[in-house]
Structure formats: structure tokens, C-alpha cells
Amino acid sequence: MKFLRIVVAGFLLAAIGPAQRKLEPSFAPSDLEQKELRDALAEAGNSAVDFARVLEQHLAKYPDTPQRPELELALVKAALESKDDRRVLIWGEKVLARNMDDPRILERVSRILLNGDDKQSAERALKYSRRFEEIMRMLDKEALPPAANRALRSEEIDKALGRALVFQARATGNLGKIAEALVLAGKGFETYPTADSAREMGKWLEKAGRESEAIPHYADAFALADTDRLKDRAKLAALYRKAKNSEAGLGDIVLEAFDRTDALMAARNDAQRQLDPNASLTNAMDYTITGLDGAKLQLASLRGKVVVMDFWATWCGPCRAQHPLYEIVKHKYAANKDVVFLAIATDEDHTLVAPFLMAQKWSKSNVYFEDGLSNFLRVSSIPATLIMDKQGRVYSRMNGFLPDRFVAMLSDRIKEALEVR
């Protein structure tokens, strides 16, 4: 419940504090209201359900509170946290009536509205999902800092755009515009192939009376697989039996769908690797990292050696304090060709690193940018030292450092890693 701790802290320390929004005295919440809200939030603790209930009760008692926009937004976030669709819809639409810039709220409200098929809900869902798409396209155009994981970001944006188009297809179809719904569903599948987008294609083709054409799309949905896979299997079989009077040959349709969707996802993965050679990797030693001069180092080339990775940043004070101790260990193993030391810079702005090294008179040898490696290895704080054994496995992880013991500890662990078979 990390989210709730942050939200509660925000309200207790800021949102209801006397300097909250520098409101004029006549528009500021009363001392009594602030106290009641503080006490109620404290009692709610880390329960998302109780947190939402407390805020609803407060808004019912103080309907004209100047804090209403903030409280309603907090209510939506608590409802999202607890997966409370009823509250997400009620309070989400109130928030969206003021500001339609939160993609998470836009997406969830759209999805909830489309659980039914009435036209009024479809019209609202269409409006929200169009705005959701618009925001994601704007995000897609934003420049990335050098160290950002471009492939992962691209993947997540494509998935979101695919969902936005599927929502629009469903809403448009529910409004009786089946031809438009088919176009939108097709765009959704093309943007990011999912069982949901394939199923949407099948659904509207079936509604249009084109049942035979719907079969391969339901087969795609079955091959891509999600929580509705059994339903897809039943729908696919029913349509196929209706067209063929038996299930003979249905297996071939499914295999074709598997091959087709597998090829689509493979093509996506290839495109992602063009953006980031480390996309979709499952082993740290398969990563490729970039040096100061742009040269690439494939960590796989270091298999058979003990690799010591020092994760640091130019802004990290403890990293500076650790550096001379780290250099002592490097010097100790300098003659051992089975030990490689890599300085992994985690700065988002790569341009800061070379001038920093020059100013500090640190060696530029074996300095590389992390290129997503720190996230993969779950390096959550720096300095951090990871020792990989000769098989490419993490042998030891040292978070932070003890000045009086660092040299001995790191030296001993390298020696132990050299002996691992």
C-alpha cells in the first residue's frame, strides 16, 4: 500500500495544512474541518477502502470545501488502488469534468463504461478514450533523456494506444456504427496485437453478418491468449461448426493463427531491438552497454571472467567517497586477467559524465552507461557493487559501503567468486 502512505502523508502534511494553497481566509477550510479530516485519515490508515469511505463522508459533510478537487482526485486514486470500479466511475467522471489530462483515469473510466452496451455510456467512453489516445500520442512525441529505456517506453505507449483504439471500436460499435468499429479495431490490432483487439474484430464482423470472416480473428484471440481464452475457444468452435457443420479442420485454423500472431510479435521484438539492443533480454550478461566514446561492449564477451560492476553517478556524494577505495581493489587485481572492473554510470544526462571524470581526475577506462542494466539488476540505490561469477551469475551484491571494511570485503568476495565453478 505504498500509494496510500504517500497520499495520506500528502494530505496530513500539506493538503490540509494552513499553508495548503495560500487560499484567502474566507475560502480556506476551517480549523475544525482540517482537524476532522486529519483525524479521519489517520484512522483510515493504509486501507484503500477506508480511505475512500472517509473522503466520501467528509465531502458529504463539507460539500463546498475548497479542497474538493484535491479530495475527489485522491478518492479516484484510492479507488484505482483498491480496484473499486463503482467509485472509480463516480469520482473519476467528476475529476474528468474538470480536467481530462490523467491517462490512468481516462483509461479505467472508459473500460468501466464499456462493460455495458448502452449508447449514453458509449458516447462518454468514446470521448474519454479519444482523449486517452491523444495524450499517449503526445507522450510518444516527447524527447527522451539519453539513458531512458526507449524500447520499453515505446512498447508501453503502443500497448496503451492499442487499448485506446479498442475502446473506441467498442464504443463506436455500441453506437451502431459497425463499419467504423471494424476500422478502429483493425487499427488497434495493427498498433499492438492483443487478444482483446482480435476479439473486437471478430465481434463486429459477426455483428455485421460476416461470420466466416470472424473465425480467423477469434483464432488470433485464442492464440494470443488472455483471461478469456476459454470463451474464445467456445466462440471459435461455435462459429466454425455453424460454417462447416463440424470441427474438422479447426485445428489447422488455430495453428495458422498461432504462426501468424507469433510472426507479428517476433517482428515487434525485432523492431524494439532496433531501438534498444537490450529489449526483452532475460540475462544480464546478454546486455550491450555503451562506452563514453559510443563503443559497444557485449557483456557476453566477458563470460569466463569475474566481472565487478560499480554503479555510480556524478551527483552521488557517497560514490565519490567510495572511489579511492574501489581503486585500491582494482589495483590489487590489475594483473589478474580473469577479473574485469566496469564503472557503470547511471546519470540520465550522459553529457555530464566525461567532464566530471576529467574534473575529478578519474580514469575514463572501462566507464560505460547503464543502458537499462541497473533496472534489470534491480539496482535501487548507489553506490552499488555487483560481482558476477564466471558463469555470468550475480555472486555478490554490495549496497552502499563501509569505509573501514570496503577494500577487504570487496577483495574477499572477488577471490571467492574466482573459485566458484
Side-chain angles (χ1 to χ4, degrees), residues 56-100:
E56 285 180 332
Q57 290 173 347
H58 187 82
L59 287 171
K61 184 172 182 179
Y62 296 98
D64 298 322
T65 175
Q67 299 174 131
R68 190 173 190 93
E70 293 90 343
L71 295 176
E72 288 181 349
L73 179 59
L75 240 169
V76 179
K77 291 182 177 179
L80 287 167
E81 180 80 7
S82 60
K83 297 181 173 59
D84 184 341
D85 284 354
R86 181 186 67 83
R87 281 189 169 113
V88 170
L89 185 58
I90 292 171
W91 299 103
E93 289 206 89
K94 290 181 184 296
V95 169
L96 293 176
R98 287 191 298 272
N99 187 330
M100 291 208 304

Side-chain angles (χ1 to χ4, degrees), residues 375-401:
N375 184 58
F376 181 85
L377 289 171
R378 294 182 173 85
V379 176
S380 57
S381 62
I382 54 174
T385 306
L386 271 68
I387 303 171
M388 315 295 286
D389 66 21
K390 293 181 179 181
Q391 285 71 46
R393 302 168 300 202
V394 176
Y395 174 77
S396 178
R397 180 188 296 263
M398 299 168 63
N399 296 322
F401 75 107

